[in-house]
Amino acid sequence: MKTILIDDEPLAIGRLKRLLGKFEDFEIIAEAKNGHEGLEKITQHKPDVIFLDIEMPEMTGFEMLAQLDFMPLVVFATAYDQYAIRAFEENSIDYLLKPIETERLEKTVEKLRKLKSNTGESSMNNSLLQLIEQFKPKKDIHSISVKSGEKILFIPLTEISFFEAEDKYVFLNTTDGKQYLTNYTIASLEEKLPENFIRVSRSSIINSLLIKELQKYFSGKYLVIMRDTKASKIETGSAYGENLKKLMEI
């Protein structure tokens, strides 16, 4: 299987190369030290599988995946366990925690071998292109997973009023006034969510089905009043006002 390794840590790539070197099924055709390089290498080589880090400078692994036109099979390799649910939602083949152990990697290899076996040697690439459609971000989701203490909660989209970014964090706000920290970026949510969720500014995405009022604001902006218990007020960005007006048939 043609393989690309994407990680900003040279030691991590070196270790993974040594571990994968024990398996004759894999041909490492390229390496990338960040998401931008990863996009270039994937577009150029069209690999069967990538081993992808999540926390990287400038662009996370999730953000890189959202920009791909060609989607290979994805195995996440990261030092952070909090992204496991998100990785599951992105339909990755596996989620490896660093430092990766040989025994754990063997299980991943077995999964990939079974997938390859099911597609057949002679039609490996064509079959993967068909299978890979299920690995692209879907917009027919029904809930968003968040971590609350030791629990993983699944918040139905119908109960989500809006998402809002603060610094490096994105919070989910529900109709009953609760707020949860997510593992998503605003950009990845915009790609993932169905069409009734509209990005109205650089930092906000709202559930258009829960808009109560739309008030004119300064400099061509609008103030959106949400139909939640807090009657939340969200200011639109000037670059997003036109889309909002068209949606509401103003």
Side-chain angles (χ1 to χ4, degrees), residues 3-208:
T3 306
I4 292 180
L5 310 181
I6 305 170
D7 198 311
D8 64 319
E9 299 177 2
L11 290 177
I13 282 188
R15 177 176 175 79
L16 190 50
K17 283 180 66 175
R18 290 193 299 272
L19 292 175
L20 286 173
K22 300 177 182 179
F23 307 98
E24 296 181 355
D25 329 52
F26 296 89
E27 177 190 2
I28 299 175
I29 57 174
E31 302 170 17
K33 62 178 180 290
N34 56 53
H36 296 292
E37 283 191 8
L39 287 171
E40 294 176 1
K41 300 291 186 181
I42 292 169
T43 301
Q44 177 184 355
H45 297 287
K46 293 182 170 51
D48 299 315
V49 59
I50 61 173
F51 285 78
L52 176 64
D53 191 14
I54 295 177
E55 288 284 358
M56 296 184 290
E58 299 182 17
M59 183 188 299
T60 69
F62 293 127
E63 291 170 331
M64 190 205 76
L65 289 179
Q67 297 186 40
L68 285 175
D69 293 321
F70 174 87
M71 184 69 75
L73 300 178
V74 180
V75 176
F76 286 106
T78 178
Y80 303 93
D81 62 357
Q82 67 263 35
Y83 297 113
I85 294 295
R86 171 82 183 277
F88 172 77
E89 291 180 340
E90 296 288 345
N91 293 310
S92 61
I93 291 295
D94 212 344
Y95 189 90
L96 301 173
L97 282 176
K98 300 175 184 176
I100 300 170
E101 299 296 335
T102 302
E103 294 78 8
R104 180 64 183 84
L105 182 60
E106 287 175 350
K107 295 180 180 179
T108 302
V109 169
E110 188 59 31
K111 290 181 182 180
L112 292 167
R113 283 173 174 166
K114 286 181 179 179
L115 180 57
K116 180 176 180 179
S117 175
N118 289 339
T119 61
E121 288 285 350
S122 62
S123 59
M124 176 65 179
N125 291 335
N126 289 336
S127 297
L128 273 176
L129 287 174
Q130 295 172 3
L131 286 172
I132 221 64
E133 289 302 316
Q134 62 187 287
F135 287 83
K136 292 183 178 179
K138 300 295 194 298
K139 290 198 175 184
D140 56 348
I141 61 170
H142 302 288
S143 63
I144 294 289
S145 60
V146 295
K147 198 170 183 180
S148 179
E150 297 301 315
K151 299 178 181 179
I152 299 295
L153 304 180
F154 292 87
I155 311 298
L157 296 186
T158 54
E159 297 179 10
I160 298 174
S161 179
F162 64 98
F163 296 88
E164 192 162 39
E166 296 180 14
D167 297 323
K168 296 181 179 181
Y169 304 101
V170 175
F171 294 91
L172 178 160
N173 295 268
T174 63
T175 54
D176 60 357
K178 295 179 182 178
Q179 186 179 75
Y180 301 95
L181 177 65
T182 78
N183 287 327
Y184 295 95
T185 64
I186 285 290
S188 63
L189 283 169
E190 186 178 21
E191 173 68 24
K192 180 184 184 68
L193 291 167
E195 294 181 354
N196 59 291
F197 281 86
I198 307 298
R199 187 169 182 177
V200 296
S201 72
R202 291 184 62 186
S203 60
S204 300
I205 294 177
I206 64 171
N207 184 349
S208 64

